[in-house]
Amino acid sequence: MTSACTGYLLARKVLQKRSSRSVRLLEKTVRCLFERSALKSDERRELLLSARSCGCRLSDLTEREISLFTNARHTPPGEVFYLSGVKVGYLYPYFGRHKQLLAEDREVAEMIYRFKDGIYDDELLEELVCLCESMSLGKDKLLVCIPASTQSATDRRYRRFSADLSARLAWKDGYGIMMPVDRIPCHLTGERRMLGEKNYYLQKSLLRGRKVVLFDDILTTGTTLFSVAGLIERAGGQVLGAVFIGRTLDPAVTWRTLAGKIAGKPM
């Protein structure tokens, strides 16, 4: 008997008994099934709906599934979409530190944390190469990594990586063309602000007339992407696309806000 069938049978028993003990047992079983990645996405959602109808409090898992579902409908990983007029692609959905409910969430997060420290493997490089090729970005492009908040962090994260990815794609390595003026990271200040020329050292002469592809580890609001793309365009470059390892998803999505988005108006 599959783990999914076990969960469904438990849900049926809970519906019959409706005891607090059986509800807690079902909650525990559902979380275990999710943690083991034993279910396909449609099976997960069906089991969640059954468990919620039995009185289980699984709002965190439900919000996570809603977030993944809506993201997959509009901006799925591995597929091209446009943000502020820029062609964008990313590999994995990413949940922040306090919102990683499952092992798969934590695995993606750990990969991104290691990347921030300059640690990555050939598998990640190959996935990024495949993503760039699927975006039809072409050859002879200039790869510019969006700088971190400090020069030391930028150097640790991107110096070797930019050369490796550029070589595999037959692009020009643009490391050093754009470097940061040291600042406190946005995720520590809680501010999402537009960044301008005062925040970067920019070698404009090396951008003029070049077709640029931007790279960053995580796409969150798109504010930094919009700022950097604008700076490069004003310097005479042309931003053709942007590639990311992960895209931050917000699991705090409710059916009310989702209904508002579908209706095209705030709720």
Side-chain angles (χ1 to χ4, degrees), residues 17 50-51 53 85 119 128 139 199 239:
K17 295 184 177 180
S50 298
S53 68
I119 303 169
L128 289 168
K139 301 293 184 181
N199 301 109
V239 178

Side-chain angles (χ1 to χ4, degrees), residues 22-182:
S22 58
V23 169
R24 288 196 300 270
L25 175 60
L26 179 57
E27 284 185 5
K28 185 176 180 180
T29 303
V30 170
R31 291 187 183 280
C32 182
L33 291 174
F34 269 65
E35 183 65 35
R36 293 179 181 177
S37 302
L39 304 175
K40 298 178 180 178
S41 57
D42 55 343
E43 291 177 326
R44 283 181 172 185
R45 289 162 193 155
E46 186 176 345
L47 181 56
L48 264 179
L49 289 173
S50 298
R52 290 294 295 268
S53 68
C54 296
C56 291
R57 297 179 180 180
L58 296 166
S59 58
D60 53 349
L61 287 178
T62 304
E63 289 171 355
R64 177 185 183 278
E65 288 302 306
I66 294 172
S67 183
L68 288 171
F69 174 76
T70 54
N71 184 70
R73 289 289 300 272
H74 299 289
T75 55
E79 295 189 18
V80 176
F81 61 97
Y82 287 84
L83 188 63
S84 301
V86 177
K87 184 186 289 188
V88 175
Y90 70 98
L91 293 176
Y92 300 103
Y94 165 77
F95 291 98
R97 287 185 183 274
H98 303 298
K99 299 174 183 178
Q100 297 157 15
L101 301 179
L102 306 182
E104 61 195 71
D105 302 339
R106 293 187 287 274
E107 288 172 6
V108 171
E110 285 303 317
M111 177 182 61
I112 291 175
Y113 301 155
R114 289 195 301 271
F115 180 85
K116 289 178 180 292
D117 287 330
I119 303 169
Y120 57 89
D121 55 23
D122 286 342
E123 183 178 351
L124 176 60
L125 285 172
E126 284 304 313
E127 286 184 287
L128 289 168
V129 168
C130 291
L131 176 60
C132 291
E133 290 175 346
S134 71
M135 292 172 68
S136 301
L137 296 171
K139 301 293 184 181
D140 193 31
K141 301 300 181 289
L142 177 66
L143 178 65
V144 175
C145 295
I146 297 177
S149 56
T150 66
Q151 293 193 33
S152 60
T154 300
D155 190 71
R156 179 174 63 250
R157 191 176 304 174
Y158 292 132
R159 179 182 289 275
R160 182 170 63 92
F161 169 80
S162 183
D164 286 346
L165 185 58
S166 297
R168 295 193 181 214
L169 289 164
W171 290 356
K172 181 175 175 57
D173 179 7
Y175 179 79
I177 289 178
M178 179 177 244
M179 294 297 285
V181 175
D182 288 5

Side-chain angles (χ1 to χ4, degrees), residues 63 66-75 220 247-267:
E63 289 171 355
I66 294 172
S67 183
L68 288 171
F69 174 76
T70 54
N71 184 70
R73 289 289 300 272
H74 299 289
T75 55
T220 303
R247 183 185 184 197
T248 302
L249 302 188
D250 182 7
V253 178
T254 64
W255 287 113
R256 181 176 173 80
T257 57
L258 178 58
K261 288 182 180 179
I262 294 173
K265 55 185 179 181
M267 297 294 287

